[in-house]
Amino acid sequence: MLYKVCRLYCFTEVDRQDLFQEIVIQLWRSWPAFRREAKFSTWLYRIALNTAISGLRRQHRLITPTDPEQLPTELQDIQYSADKEEQLQLLYAAIDRLTEVEKALTMLYLEDRSYQEMEEILGISQNNLRVKMNRIKDKLRKITKAVAHGIGKS
Amino acid sequence: MELESLKYIWHSLETPPAKVPGRQDLAALLEKRSRGPVARMRRNLIAEAILMFVTYTPAVLCYLLAFDGRLSAISWLFALLAAGFLGYYYRKYRLLKEMECVTCQVKANLARQVKTLKKYVRFYLLAGTAMIPVSYLLSYAIIRWKMPSVFNYPSSPAGQSLYLRLHPIPWWGNPLFWLILMVPLTIGIYYANAWYINRLYGRHIKKLQELLQEMEAE
C-alpha cells in the first residue's frame, strides 16, 4: 500500500524513496500512541495520506493537473491492447493528472474501501464523497482517452 | 476507460517492488532525519536557539566581568534580550508541536496545519516587529537606572538653561530624536518582516488552503 501511495504522489524514484522514508518515520513515531479506536488500515491510510498530501515536498512536476473541460470530447474509445504493462502505465498516467485530493479518493476507491471508511480516513461526508467520486469517474474517463491519444500538458 | 476496469488493472496487474525492505533497511530508514516541513522548521528553530545562546552568553559574561563591571548595564541588556528570545523560541516550538496530527483525519489535519501555521506566522511577525521598541525601552530603562545623572536636570527653567549651556547635548543625544527615529524603524522592520515571512511560508499556506477548500467543496 505504501508503495502505491508513493507511486501516486511522486513522479521520480528519488522523490518516491523520500516519501516512503517519511511515511515509515511517521508510522514508527505514531505507533506507541495507536489506541485501536480506529481500524489498523484506517490508521495506516491516514498517516500515509497525511504525509503525502500535506508534506508538499518540492518535486519536479512532470505533469500538471488537467482540467477536463479543456480536453476534447470527440475521441473514439481506444481498443486497449492486452499488454498489461501498457494498461498499468495508462492508469498511472491518468491518475497523475488528478489533484492531490482526487488521487487520495481514487486510491481508496481502487483499494475497495467503503465510503464509510473513506469518510473516517479523509473526514469528508459520505454524500460529498459520492459526488466527488462521480466527478472523478467522468474526469478519468476523459483523461484516459486523452492520454491514450497522447493529448495533454506535460 | 471506466473506473471499474481501472480497478481490475489496479488489483491484478500491479506487482510488488522487486526488493521489499527488510528489518535492517527499515532500521536504517528510521535513523535518518524526517524531511517533512514541520520537522525541518523545528530543527531550524533549535539551531537558531543554540546559535543565540552561543553568541549571547559570552557577550553577557564579557560585559559583566570585564572593564571592572563598569559596563555591566550592557550585559543586563543582553541578558534581558536573551530571556525574551528564549520565550519567543519556546512559543514557536509549542506551535510547531501542535501543528501536525498525522493520525487525524486528512481534512482535520489540513485545517489544523492552516490554523496553526497562520498563528505561527502572525507571532513571528509581531515578535520581530516588537523587537525594535522593546530594545529601545530596555536600553532607556537601563540607562535611566545606571546613569541617572543624565536625566537629573535642575527643576527651574533658569537652572535647566544654565545646565544645558554647561553640558550641551548633541542633537543625537536627545532622547526625543531616538523616540522619533523608532517610529519609521518599527514600520520599516514590520514590512521587511512581512515580506520575508511571506517568502518563507506564503506559498505553503496558500497550497494548504487550496487543498482544504477542495476537500470542503460540494
Side-chain angles (χ1 to χ4, degrees):
Chain A
M1 188 276 278
L2 295 188
Y3 285 110
K4 286 179 181 174
V5 170
C6 296
R7 175 59 190 83
L8 284 180
Y9 282 94
C10 297
F11 302 99
T12 64
E13 191 53 41
V14 171
D15 287 338
R16 279 174 215 149
Q17 284 171 9
D18 284 349
L19 179 57
F20 182 79
Q21 174 198 318
E22 192 58 36
I23 295 174
V24 167
I25 289 172
Q26 295 293 350
L27 284 168
W28 180 255
R29 282 188 189 158
S30 309
W31 174 248
F34 178 50
R35 296 273 175 268
R36 290 176 170 77
E37 286 153 353
K39 275 163 55 178
F40 177 76
S41 59
T42 303
W43 177 82
L44 194 66
Y45 278 115
R46 278 185 191 169
I47 293 174
L49 290 173
N50 272 324
T51 309
I53 289 174
S54 60
L56 298 177
R57 289 151 306 288
R58 252 178 226 152
Q59 33 181 314
H60 178 55
R61 193 167 180 91
L62 301 175
I63 298 165
T64 49
T66 305
D67 182 359
E69 301 307 319
Q70 293 175 6
L71 293 168
T73 52
E74 299 298 322
L75 288 171
Q76 283 182 333
D77 273 328
I78 298 291
Q79 294 300 317
Y80 295 108
S81 78
D83 186 0
K84 294 176 180 180
E85 187 55 36
E86 199 180 306
Q87 288 185 40
L88 191 59
Q89 292 311 317
L90 192 63
L91 169 63
Y92 277 124
I95 295 177
D96 279 346
R97 294 184 188 217
L98 300 175
T99 64
E100 278 92 347
V101 175
E102 286 169 344
K103 281 181 189 176
L105 267 147
T106 306
M107 193 200 80
L108 292 171
Y109 183 86
L110 291 174
E111 289 280 297
D112 284 325
R113 299 292 134 190
S114 65
Y115 279 111
Q116 188 181 344
E117 198 177 348
M118 279 197 231
E119 183 182 6
E120 283 169 19
I121 293 166
L122 296 172
I124 303 175
S125 68
Q126 290 187 43
N127 285 340
N128 203 352
L129 281 170
R130 283 174 219 278
V131 169
K132 285 188 186 323
M133 272 318 300
N134 283 334
R135 287 199 196 123
I136 290 170
K137 284 176 189 174
D138 284 336
K139 195 171 174 180
L140 274 175
R141 206 175 289 129
K142 289 181 187 167
I143 290 174
T144 45
K145 279 190 195 171
V147 166
H149 281 92
I151 298 165
K153 296 178 199 170
S154 65
Chain B
M1 204 192 279
E2 293 297 327
L3 202 56
E4 294 308 317
S5 52
L6 292 178
K7 219 187 238 192
Y8 164 76
I9 298 168
W10 179 265
H11 283 295
S12 60
L13 300 184
E14 179 71 276
T15 50
K19 184 176 179 268
V20 178
R23 257 200 162 161
Q24 279 183 326
D25 298 320
L26 285 174
L29 271 180
L30 290 169
E31 276 172 19
K32 293 183 186 173
R33 295 196 302 188
S34 167
R35 291 187 192 201
V38 176
R40 269 190 277 128
M41 284 163 77
R42 217 179 289 152
R43 280 197 298 272
N44 287 342
L45 188 72
I46 293 171
E48 239 182 84
I50 291 171
L51 185 66
M52 191 272 305
F53 181 75
V54 160
T55 49
Y56 271 62
T57 306
V60 169
L61 292 171
C62 171
Y63 283 108
L64 194 63
L65 302 170
F67 310 108
D68 298 321
R70 278 174 290 157
L71 295 177
S72 61
I74 299 178
S75 77
W76 275 108
L77 177 64
F78 274 116
L80 284 169
L81 284 173
F85 269 117
L86 279 175
Y88 163 77
Y89 288 130
Y90 178 74
R91 172 76 180 138
K92 269 179 126 178
Y93 190 78
R94 295 293 313 170
L95 283 170
L96 284 175
K97 267 204 107 173
E98 67 181 61
M99 199 174 284
E100 216 174 28
C101 173
V102 289
T103 55
C104 297
Q105 291 176 343
V106 174
K107 188 172 142 189
N109 183 41
L110 280 174
R112 185 188 186 121
Q113 282 199 22
V114 167
K115 185 177 159 199
T116 315
L117 192 53
K118 280 181 171 177
K119 247 199 241 179
Y120 182 90
V121 156
R122 222 175 7 248
F123 175 70
Y124 194 162
L125 181 63
L126 290 174
T129 306
M131 204 175 65
I132 298 279
V134 163
S135 305
Y136 261 70
L137 292 170
L138 278 177
S139 306
Y140 174 79
I142 287 167
I143 292 168
R144 197 81 171 90
W145 168 46
K146 281 295 206 181
M147 291 181 270
S149 59
V150 173
F151 301 92
N152 282 343
Y153 296 142
S155 54
S156 69
Q160 278 180 24
S161 167
L162 178 65
Y163 182 87
L164 288 170
R165 255 190 287 137
L166 293 173
H167 303 89
I169 300 172
W171 60 271
W172 48 262
N174 193 333
L176 190 61
F177 167 75
W178 292 102
L179 200 68
I180 292 169
L181 184 62
M182 188 178 78
V183 174
L185 268 180
T186 306
I187 294 171
I189 285 285
Y190 172 82
Y191 283 105
N193 271 342
W195 171 82
Y196 183 61
I197 287 165
N198 188 50
R199 253 199 89 188
L200 286 179
Y201 304 111
R203 229 169 25 141
H204 191 76
I205 293 175
K206 193 171 161 224
K207 181 68 185 170
L208 288 174
Q209 281 173 321
E210 280 169 10
L211 285 171
L212 194 56
Q213 265 169 7
E214 191 186 339
M215 292 193 99
E216 286 170 346
E218 290 283 327

